Amino acid sequence: FFANREDCETLSIDCVYTLRFHHQQQQEQPSFSMSLLLSDIDDEIDEEKDDYQSVTDDKTSHAGSVSDHSSEEEQMRIAQRETKAVLGLRVLVILVLLLAAVGVSLAVYFITSKAETAEYEAQFTGVADKVLSSFENIVGQKMGAIGSFCLGITSFAVSQSEDWPFVTLADFEQRSASARTLSNALHMSLLPLVTDKERSQWEAYSVQNLEWYLEGRAYQEELAANGFSRRRAMVENTTEKELSFDSGIGNRIYQFTPYFDTIVDPGPGPYTPVWQSSPVTFLDSINMNLIEFPGERAALEKVFETGEILFGGLDTNDPGDVNSDNLSTAWLAGLLSTFEGRPVEYKGDPITNAFFPIFDKTEGEDREVMAIMKIDFNWASYFENILPDNSRGVVLVLENCEGAFTYEINGAAVDLVGIGDQHDRKFTSDGRFGSFKDVLTVQDGSRQGMPLNQVCPINIHVYPSQAFYDEHNSDLPLIITISVGLIFVFTSIMFIIYDRLVERRQRLVMHRAKQTTDIVSSLFPANVRDRLIGAGDHLSPNHRLATFLKGGKVESISDVQQIADLFPYTTVCFADIAGFTAWSSTREPAHVFALLQTVYQAFDIIAKKRRVFKVETIGDSYVAVTGLPEPQETHAVIMARFAWECMEKMSEVTKRLEVTLGPDTADLSMRIGIHSGPVTAGVLRGERARFQLFGDTVNTASRMESTGERNKIQVSNTTAKLLEIAGKTHWIQKRDDSIVAKGKGVLNTYWVSLKEPTGTDGSSDQSTDVSSSMNRPTGKSKQNRLIEWVVELMQDRIKTIVAQRNSGGMQKPRSSVSVGDLSGKSHHGKTPLDDFAEVIKMPKFDYKVAKNTQASSSVVIPAIVVSQLRELVTSIASMYHDNPFHNFEHACHVTMAVDKFLRRIVAPDLDVDQLRNGKKSRGELASHLHDYTHGINSDPISLLAIVFSALIHDVDHRGVSNAQLVKEEERMGLLYNNTSVAEQNSLDVSWQLLMSENFGDLRAFIFGNEKSTFQRFRQVVVNVVLATDIFDKELNNLRKNRWNMAFGEQAAGEDENDLKATIVIEHIIQASDVSHTMQHWHIYRKWNACLFKEMYLAYKSGRTDKDPCENWYEGEKGFFDFYIIPLAKKLKDCNVFGVSSDECLNYAIQNRAEWEVRGEAAVQEMMEEFAQLDTANSRPVLVDEEPATDDDVEEFLDDDSKGEAVDVTSN
């Protein structure tokens, strides 16, 4: 037999069937061991058949696709051949057009470029001529004005018969102002030549003729342009008794020491005292002997000797204003301010002194120099306002024998570039040159004029800059050339574009057709898809599903044959997630869809492998069928295997998802029903066509599911017989009781359980049910998953804190927060209640931080921090006693509710269009959320504190009320003043754990070195945990008063927003602590039973005198009426929870109504369930005891939960 089997393995599937037939003929009554072995062989045969059939289908499909593909390729080759022929002609035309475009474009480029270059040269020539003309006018006109003024002084002295040096020009300020304006001179000073004999007479004369000085000084002080009053005292600094400035000028001819002190000039002369000056400044040191001033003697002696005009050097000083400590800088800034008529700064550009001789007579070769007119002028002023505003980037280099300076002229402005010749060397050849060296005489109105000294002539060079060149050499030639070329190219490209558009359209049509085919393939079986897509009236009646998806026009229903067929041999499966409705009531919508998508995607993979057709998903129900669209001989076996694998996969997926989706996820399981028989399958037309199954088989399969049990596969008698025929008798087990199915009456059904042998000795059945792998997880493994879920949840909150800190909202961490300074432990009589705050101060909104806060997903938490966080959560879990209600699992349930509330308050109703169109920036959105949530959303520290509080709020709970705890633990009662004892104890125990040295890195990573941040965390934790004590009258009255202040008619003052934030935070934990009352009925019943059990155990063990059985029913109604429903309404009044508040209120009202109808029966069931508990071994506080699990609750909820629900709302 085995040899035959091995031979057959290398052959076809038919050989295997022959083998099975041969075996059945010769082994009519096999032994049990052989039957078990053969059943395994049959399983393999079915698997091989399935694989063979899949390969055959794939090959057939592939052959058809290859044929279609070959036809498409042939058509493409023909099309490409024709296209190439046309394309050849098009290419030729395009080449001709391109050659013409190139030729015309080059011609246009050279013509326009040459014209632009000529225009650039003409523009620069015109600009340079203006600059050079202005330079030449300095000597011709500007200096001529000074010469005429000097000649006027000579004429005045002659006409008045005044002898030099005793000459004072009348109206000097007015006359000199005109000369200064014409010459652009900044300052003018008259320097008469005084001999030693004339000194005493001159000193008396100068003091007696001060009218001109006083008038000029008053005028300048009125302008306040040069800091006259402040600086004058510095100039008049003297220690000599003979020298006095009482009259405003020095009464003696004096000079400056190297330290700028004034001393009487010791002589012996001759002297050149400063006399009449314009404008009068603080450095116009009248009677100061200028010839003794550093650097002035050589020039003055040269002018006295030759009688020629002499230009000084290009002198500079430090930049500054009139307040500069450098007197020369301050003096020049004052002169420039007077010249401009407004306060300006001296920029450090060159200033030149010019010395003009004043003769004793107007003409004659024998005239002598009697005085000198010294002027100061700024070179930049001669080149301002000479060019139009559009002439920019003209470089001017000013030089003499001593050095050079570079200016840049931009329209009317002249800016100093720097010392030296700094023009762009590539424009050297374009430069223009100007000089004073050819000017011999300055015309002063006399016939002789004034000779000009040319020992060190001043020259200028004018160059264009790159900016000037760019302004007059644009890209216009290139643009014109490109434009001309584009005109030609455009026509050529149009041919190509048209061709490409047609080709692209064809590709798009093919792509859309493929997408449509893919979508249809996912919705319909393969043959239905082909019939929908491949239209044709030539198809047989058995293929009427062929025309729908072809897209053909349908005039009316009567014009089209319906797409529907009868499939006589099928097996239909209905799979439903048991407990899903209750589970989803505690979750965010995103979590619900994450579960369904993960589970059903896994089922889809199994269905594809098993060649099971997925019909649809309805809510949490998964509908599948075998035996269509292609007949399958073993359709019942295939479906049984599929259902079994789905149950195994469900167990695997839910355990894995519990880490991310939270408590009770791993408790979800499948309830599957299967029935075999004929079905009618077809396409329902409409806006959304759907492939549907119809018939009694579908209804019966649905009844199999609805009357089934968790983690079990219930099959009908029909399906069971098919499994027996297929040799799978060992899979099925008859159900002990019969079921009553709607429309079917009483039915006998079977459980299907795939079993695999673990060993055989030929005499006994050594088999194990694989379903054991899907049993409910142990408490320890479940607790580990809950711990991992909490760790993941807190990591998300911590990442948000770090992300905000990295954006500048908090200080970066440096080391662990001090254990001693911030421990917050109860010591020296201080308790957590002492830290309770009526108002928690929330941080102010920081727009910049909110705008720049990075995504929390980009934050990486160090491994050591994650390890300490996991250790912290594990330690917290270990500090919970195994109470039926106040245990770690319930703390996780509360934490999950808190997280749900927090996620809801950060998603208020916003203008969706504005967000979608980007009209609200991140900062604006954050500001909106900050105001909406009273600042809670903007403070990740507070959000983490609320989650942490939910986790620890019942740590070390002893399973009794505070009143009983005070009796049992007198020292604890005294420590906490008999107030909120359990809550304060939970705070102290948890806080001491958090502040231990084991979690230093964790604290440093979360809080950094910001003490105020840590203190706010502590404050929120204290307030939140204490808020869970809802039976303390004093605290309740305080909360009521604060509620009225914040949300009532009373005004809360400037702390209103913080007060509202505090109340919202406390209501979050209060609602979460009793969240089971505002969730699905099954969730409420589960935790209600746990609480009843805990109180019942306390009563039975003598720890409390009150029997919960006596008033549990009425007490729950009162609890709903006076706490739960008002609390739900307050959540709505807070106006920050959106639809969550409506959800809580609706569930609370529904559960209240349900309890009123079914509560008494529920209490009776709980009494019967827990009455048998051994009170001697029931010490929920001190002894490890298994908490009530979902199975414990469901044992007495099964009948209740399967009954008809009370309809308390319209839906």
Side-chain angles (χ1 to χ4, degrees):
F1 171 79
F2 287 103
N4 292 337
R5 178 170 182 257
E6 291 172 356
D7 294 339
C8 288
E9 286 181 351
T10 62
L11 303 177
S12 66
I13 193 70
D14 295 332
C15 180
V16 178
Y17 281 113
T18 303
L19 173 63
R20 175 161 51 173
F21 176 77
H22 176 71
H23 168 71
Q24 290 175 349
Q25 293 293 325
Q26 296 189 9
Q27 302 289 337
E28 295 180 355
Q29 294 181 346
S31 66
F32 179 79
S33 298
M34 182 61 71
S35 297
L36 186 60
L37 179 60
L38 292 180
S39 68
D40 180 49
I41 296 175
D42 286 343
D43 291 347
E44 295 183 12
I45 291 172
D46 290 339
E47 294 285 354
E48 292 172 1
K49 180 185 175 185
D50 293 344
D51 296 341
Y52 174 79
Q53 186 64 40
S54 299
V55 172
T56 303
D57 293 344
D58 291 344
K59 289 182 177 179
T60 302
S61 176
H62 179 67
S65 64
V66 169
S67 177
D68 295 340
H69 185 63
S70 299
S71 177
E72 292 177 1
E73 287 185 346
E74 180 63 23
Q75 294 176 4
M76 289 298 295
R77 282 196 294 269
I78 295 174
Q80 289 176 357
R81 188 164 56 246
E82 295 297 327
T83 302
K84 287 181 179 179
V86 177
L87 186 59
L89 179 60
R90 289 176 177 171
V91 170
L92 179 61
V93 174
I94 291 173
L95 287 176
V96 173
L97 292 174
L98 287 177
L99 290 175
V102 171
V104 174
S105 298
L106 290 176
V108 170
Y109 178 78
F110 285 120
I111 294 173
T112 53
S113 180
K114 186 176 181 179
E116 193 169 70
T117 300
E119 176 65 19
Y120 154 72
E121 293 175 351
Q123 287 290 337
F124 177 68
T125 299
V127 169
D129 288 343
K130 289 183 180 180
V131 175
L132 293 175
S133 175
S134 178
F135 178 71
E136 294 171 356
N137 285 339
I138 295 176
V139 178
Q141 296 180 3
K142 305 295 184 180
M143 298 298 104
I146 300 298
S148 298
F149 182 70
C150 293
L151 184 63
I153 295 176
T154 300
S155 300
F156 173 79
V158 172
S159 64
Q160 297 297 322
S161 299
E162 293 184 356
D163 297 327
W164 290 96
F166 308 105
V167 176
T168 302
L169 182 64
D171 301 322
F172 181 82
E173 181 65 30
Q174 290 78 4
R175 295 182 181 184
S176 62
S178 177
R180 283 192 294 110
T181 302
L182 292 175
S183 64
N184 285 11
L186 299 178
H187 186 260
M188 301 172 61
S189 295
L190 179 62
L191 309 174
L193 180 63
V194 179
T195 64
D196 194 44
K197 295 180 180 181
E198 298 170 330
R199 176 174 179 171
S200 59
Q201 185 180 356
W202 167 259
E203 290 174 346
Y205 173 83
S206 63
V207 173
Q208 296 171 1
N209 292 273
L210 290 179
E211 291 81 3
W212 68 271
Y213 173 74
L214 297 176
E215 291 175 1
R217 178 171 175 174
Y219 177 72
Q220 293 303 322
E221 287 184 338
E222 182 179 350
L223 291 179
N226 53 27
F228 187 101
S229 299
R230 186 177 72 85
R231 293 294 186 176
R232 187 63 189 175
M234 297 177 61
V235 177
E236 296 174 352
N237 181 25
T238 181
T239 59
E240 294 196 8
K241 296 181 179 180
E242 297 180 7
L243 182 60
S244 171
F245 293 91
D246 295 340
S247 61
I249 67 172
N251 62 338
R252 302 287 303 277
I253 296 177
Y254 64 92
Q255 65 182 30
F256 287 108
T257 68
Y259 301 100
F260 238 84
D261 293 330
T262 53
I263 61 173
V264 176
D265 193 302
Y271 309 96
T272 56
V274 176
W275 186 227
Q276 289 184 290
S277 302
S278 177
V280 176
T281 71
F282 67 89
L283 274 181
D284 282 333
S285 303
I286 309 302
N287 272 341
M288 188 269 290
N289 187 14
L290 189 63
I291 199 170
E292 295 296 336
F293 199 83
E296 301 291 351
R297 176 176 292 275
L300 292 174
E301 289 179 349
K302 189 69 175 178
V303 175
F304 280 117
E305 178 184 350
T306 63
E308 297 175 341
I309 299 174
L310 179 64
F311 283 95
L314 303 176
D315 301 324
T316 62
N317 278 286
D318 297 333
D321 57 12
V322 295
N323 297 315
S324 174
D325 293 333
N326 187 322
L327 292 180
S328 296
T329 298
W331 182 64
L332 291 175
L335 293 180
L336 290 171
S337 299
T338 303
F339 181 80
E340 296 288 343
R342 59 186 176 86
V344 296
E345 291 186 1
Y346 169 62
K347 300 179 180 179
D349 46 335
I351 303 293
T352 294
N353 300 329
F355 300 92
F356 286 73
I358 300 177
F359 301 98
D360 57 348
K361 53 185 177 181
T362 59
E363 293 182 358
E365 297 293 336
D366 58 344
R367 59 183 181 176
E368 296 181 1
V369 178
M370 306 305 296
I372 294 176
M373 180 63 70
K374 173 181 173 290
I375 69 168
D376 302 275
F377 61 88
N378 181 14
W379 285 100
S381 65
Y382 293 114
F383 304 104
E384 293 176 344
N385 301 310
I386 64 173
L387 297 182
D389 291 336
N390 61 351
S391 295
R392 311 185 68 81
V394 179
V395 176
L396 184 148
V397 178
L398 182 70
E399 65 178 8
N400 66 356
C401 58
E402 297 176 354
F405 288 84
T406 302
Y407 292 89
E408 182 173 325
I409 305 176
N410 293 296
V414 179
D415 299 314
L416 178 67
V417 176
I419 301 174
D421 187 347
Q422 300 187 24
H423 81 279
D424 194 336
R425 294 301 187 266
K426 68 180 179 180
F427 297 111
T428 300
S429 60
D430 296 336
R432 300 288 299 279
F433 176 76
S435 177
F436 287 168
K437 66 180 181 179
D438 295 330
V439 180
L440 302 178
T441 305
V442 174
Q443 296 300 325
D444 59 355
S446 65
R447 287 179 296 177
Q448 292 179 263
M450 289 187 180
L452 180 62
N453 186 287
Q454 292 290 353
V455 175
C456 185
I458 296 176
N459 309 317
I460 66 167
H461 297 270
V462 184
Y463 302 98
S465 66
Q466 186 64 47
F468 185 88
Y469 179 85
D470 293 339
E471 184 177 353
H472 295 88
N473 287 269
S474 64
D475 294 330
L476 183 60
L478 183 61
I479 293 174
I480 295 176
T481 300
I482 294 175
S483 299
V484 172
L486 287 177
I487 293 175
F488 288 92
V489 174
F490 178 76
T491 305
S492 303
I493 292 178
M494 289 305 298
F495 289 101
I496 300 175
I497 292 177
Y498 176 76
D499 182 63
R500 296 300 180 190
L501 287 175
V502 173
E503 184 179 353
R504 179 178 177 274
R505 180 180 179 276
Q506 294 299 328
R507 286 199 303 268
L508 182 61
V509 170
M510 292 297 296
H511 179 67
R512 292 295 175 85
K514 184 179 182 303
Q515 285 183 327
T516 302
T517 303
D518 293 341
I519 295 173
V520 174
S521 299
S522 67
L523 298 175
F524 303 97
N527 70 329
V528 174
R529 175 202 63 200
D530 296 338
R531 292 160 62 187
L532 289 170
I533 295 178
D537 296 333
H538 59 281
L539 298 177
S540 63
N542 192 40
H543 293 83
R544 288 191 301 270
L545 294 176
T547 59
F548 174 71
L549 290 182
K550 181 65 178 178
K553 183 177 180 181
V554 179
E555 299 296 338
S556 64
I557 297 297
S558 61
D559 295 334
V560 166
Q561 292 179 329
Q562 297 301 314
I563 306 172
D565 287 319
L566 175 64
F567 296 87
Y569 306 109
T570 66
T571 297
V572 179
C573 170
F574 273 76
D576 187 74
I577 302 178
F580 174 80
T581 304
W583 178 89
S584 62
S585 70
T586 65
R587 282 353 188 247
E588 282 283 294
H591 290 171
V592 175
F593 274 79
L595 172 73
L596 293 177
Q597 181 169 312
T598 306
V599 170
Y600 289 158
Q601 280 183 348
F603 289 1
D604 290 344
I605 294 174
I606 299 173
K608 184 176 182 180
K609 181 184 73 173
R610 290 288 176 189
R611 296 193 302 116
V612 174
F613 179 72
K614 171 188 173 183
V615 180
E616 63 181 340
T617 56
I618 307 174
D620 61 321
S621 295
Y622 190 95
V623 184
V625 63
T626 54
L628 68 81
E630 299 296 337
Q632 293 170 301
E633 181 182 357
T634 58
H635 54 85
V637 175
I638 295 172
M639 184 59 77
R641 284 199 176 99
F642 167 75
W644 185 256
E645 288 189 31
C646 286
M647 281 209 308
E648 288 183 317
K649 181 60 68 172
M650 179 68 181
S651 177
E652 173 190 334
V653 170
T654 52
K655 288 178 181 178
R656 173 164 48 86
L657 288 179
E658 189 166 43
V659 177
T660 56
L661 300 185
D664 302 331
T665 303
D667 296 338
L668 297 174
S669 57
M670 298 303 298
R671 185 171 57 243
I672 300 177
I674 299 175
H675 178 61
S676 302
V679 298
T680 298
V683 177
L684 285 180
R685 300 174 184 276
E687 291 186 4
R688 292 182 177 87
R690 299 175 62 190
F691 183 79
Q692 292 287 304
L693 303 181
F694 302 95
D696 184 66
T697 299
V698 180
N699 296 333
T700 303
S702 176
R703 300 295 183 269
M704 292 296 102
E705 179 274 320
S706 62
T707 59
E709 296 180 5
R710 299 165 62 102
N711 274 330
K712 287 188 177 182
I713 303 172
Q714 181 172 234
V715 300
S716 65
N717 185 52
T718 304
T719 303
K721 287 182 179 180
L722 291 176
L723 293 176
E724 290 179 356
I725 295 173
K728 306 300 180 186
T729 306
H730 57 287
W731 283 6
I732 59 178
Q733 178 184 356
K734 187 175 182 181
R735 182 169 178 170
D736 294 335
D737 57 331
S738 299
I739 65 169
V740 179
K742 182 178 180 181
K744 297 294 179 181
V746 179
L747 298 177
N748 293 322
T749 60
Y750 297 81
W751 303 118
V752 169
S753 177
L754 274 65
K755 299 179 180 180
E756 54 185 14
T758 60
T760 179
D761 57 4
S763 61
S764 63
D765 182 8
Q766 301 284 342
S767 64
T768 302
D769 193 344
V770 180
S771 65
S772 62
S773 65
M774 295 181 289
N775 289 341
R776 188 173 307 280
T778 64
K780 188 64 176 177
S781 62
K782 181 173 184 178
Q783 177 165 302
N784 290 339
R785 291 195 300 273
L786 292 178
I787 290 173
E788 289 303 318
W789 171 76
V790 173
V791 170
E792 289 290 330
L793 180 63
M794 295 186 70
Q795 281 189 78
D796 291 340
R797 297 295 177 185
I798 293 172
K799 286 180 179 180
T800 305
I801 294 172
V802 177
Q804 187 181 91
R805 180 167 60 227
N806 292 342
S807 66
M810 305 175 186
Q811 296 186 26
K812 295 185 177 180
R814 60 179 184 183
S815 61
S816 173
V817 180
S818 171
V819 176
D821 296 340
L822 301 174
S823 63
K825 294 164 51 179
S826 299
H827 55 83
H828 303 298
K830 185 178 180 182
T831 66
L833 187 61
D834 296 328
D835 291 335
F836 175 81
E838 292 190 23
V839 178
I840 300 175
K841 296 295 183 180
M842 304 301 294
K844 301 299 182 181
F845 178 72
D846 190 329
Y847 180 88
K848 182 178 180 181
V849 170
K851 182 179 180 182
N852 298 325
T853 298
Q854 62 180 353
S856 60
S857 58
S858 63
V859 176
V860 178
I861 301 180
I864 183 63
V865 175
V866 176
S867 176
Q868 291 185 8
L869 177 61
R870 184 175 289 104
E871 181 183 352
L872 174 65
V873 177
T874 304
S875 300
I876 291 174
S878 67
M879 291 191 297
Y880 273 91
H881 297 290
D882 289 332
N883 301 315
F885 183 82
H886 294 94
N887 52 39
F888 181 66
E889 183 180 355
H890 181 258
C892 292
H893 184 268
V894 175
T895 303
M896 182 171 59
V898 163
D899 183 65
K900 181 177 179 180
F901 276 118
L902 293 180
R903 293 181 188 277
R904 288 296 178 89
I905 67 171
V906 299
D909 295 332
L910 294 172
D911 190 334
V912 178
D913 292 334
Q914 287 186 342
L915 294 177
R916 184 177 299 155
N917 298 330
K919 294 182 179 179
K920 280 187 177 292
S921 65
R922 177 189 297 179
E924 292 172 334
L925 177 59
S927 176
H928 180 90
L929 293 175
H930 176 88
D931 297 337
Y932 186 90
T933 63
H934 312 300
I936 300 174
N937 177 65
S938 303
D939 184 24
I941 284 291
S942 295
L943 299 180
L944 176 64
I946 299 171
V947 173
F948 181 74
S949 302
L951 184 66
I952 68 168
H953 77 285
D954 279 333
V955 162
D956 197 33
H957 197 285
R958 309 301 174 87
V960 292
S961 65
N962 276 331
Q964 179 63 29
L965 184 60
V966 169
K967 296 177 182 178
E968 296 180 1
E969 300 285 348
E970 294 183 3
R971 293 183 60 186
M972 186 182 297
L974 292 175
L975 175 64
Y976 299 122
N977 298 322
N978 296 330
T979 303
S980 302
V981 178
E983 289 77 15
Q984 294 194 72
N985 178 61
S986 297
L987 272 169
D988 271 347
V989 171
S990 303
W991 200 257
Q992 183 177 3
L993 174 67
L994 175 63
M995 297 308 300
S996 66
E997 296 181 357
N998 295 341
F999 308 113
D1001 294 318
L1002 175 63
R1003 293 195 305 273
F1005 189 78
I1006 297 175
F1007 306 110
N1009 59 354
E1010 187 64 30
K1011 183 175 180 180
S1012 60
T1013 300
F1014 186 85
Q1015 289 175 335
R1016 187 167 71 257
F1017 178 84
R1018 160 78 178 179
Q1019 188 64 75
V1020 174
V1021 171
V1022 169
N1023 271 49
V1024 171
V1025 174
L1026 290 179
T1028 60
D1029 184 5
I1030 62 175
F1031 297 105
D1032 187 279
K1033 293 183 179 180
E1034 184 177 350
L1035 288 177
N1036 282 338
N1037 290 333
L1038 177 61
R1039 295 186 189 108
K1040 182 177 180 180
N1041 294 334
R1042 288 189 301 160
W1043 172 271
N1044 293 332
M1045 290 180 62
F1047 296 99
E1049 297 181 357
Q1050 304 179 26
E1054 59 182 18
D1055 293 333
E1056 179 178 352
N1057 195 63
D1058 292 337
L1059 179 59
K1060 288 183 177 180
T1062 306
I1063 293 174
V1064 169
I1065 290 173
E1066 292 176 354
H1067 277 68
I1068 288 175
I1069 190 62
Q1070 288 176 345
S1072 300
D1073 197 26
V1074 293
S1075 60
H1076 61 281
T1077 64
M1078 306 178 194
Q1079 293 168 351
H1080 191 272
W1081 169 255
H1082 290 171
I1083 302 295
Y1084 165 64
R1085 288 287 289 111
K1086 169 187 173 180
W1087 291 110
N1088 182 260
C1090 291
L1091 181 60
F1092 180 89
K1093 180 180 179 181
E1094 182 174 304
M1095 299 182 68
Y1096 187 79
L1097 289 175
Y1099 170 71
K1100 296 288 287 183
S1101 61
R1103 301 182 67 201
T1104 180
D1105 298 332
K1106 186 175 182 180
D1107 185 357
C1109 303
E1110 296 178 356
N1111 195 39
W1112 194 262
Y1113 172 71
E1114 293 296 336
E1116 282 295 293
K1117 289 198 300 181
F1119 191 55
F1120 272 109
D1121 292 337
F1122 299 107
Y1123 183 72
I1124 300 300
I1125 294 178
L1127 177 61
K1129 291 180 179 179
K1130 283 187 175 182
L1131 293 179
K1132 188 176 182 64
D1133 293 340
C1134 288
N1135 196 32
V1136 298
F1137 297 106
V1139 297
S1140 288
S1141 56
D1142 296 322
E1143 180 185 23
C1144 292
L1145 182 59
N1146 290 338
Y1147 270 124
I1149 295 174
Q1150 291 177 22
N1151 289 336
R1152 166 64 171 82
E1154 197 88 5
W1155 179 261
E1156 186 169 11
V1157 175
R1158 304 166 64 180
E1160 291 179 312
V1163 172
Q1164 185 63 34
E1165 290 175 1
M1166 290 189 293
M1167 290 171 59
E1168 295 174 358
E1169 174 71 19
F1170 301 134
Q1172 304 301 323
L1173 292 176
D1174 183 5
T1175 57
N1177 296 325
S1178 299
R1179 297 194 300 274
V1181 175
L1182 303 177
V1183 179
D1184 288 344
E1185 177 187 344
E1186 282 294 324
T1189 64
D1190 289 349
D1191 285 339
D1192 296 333
V1193 179
E1194 289 184 1
E1195 285 180 5
F1196 63 85
L1197 290 183
D1198 281 342
D1199 295 336
D1200 189 26
S1201 63
K1202 294 173 185 174
E1204 294 296 322
V1206 178
D1207 187 8
V1208 296
T1209 63
S1210 61
N1211 59 351

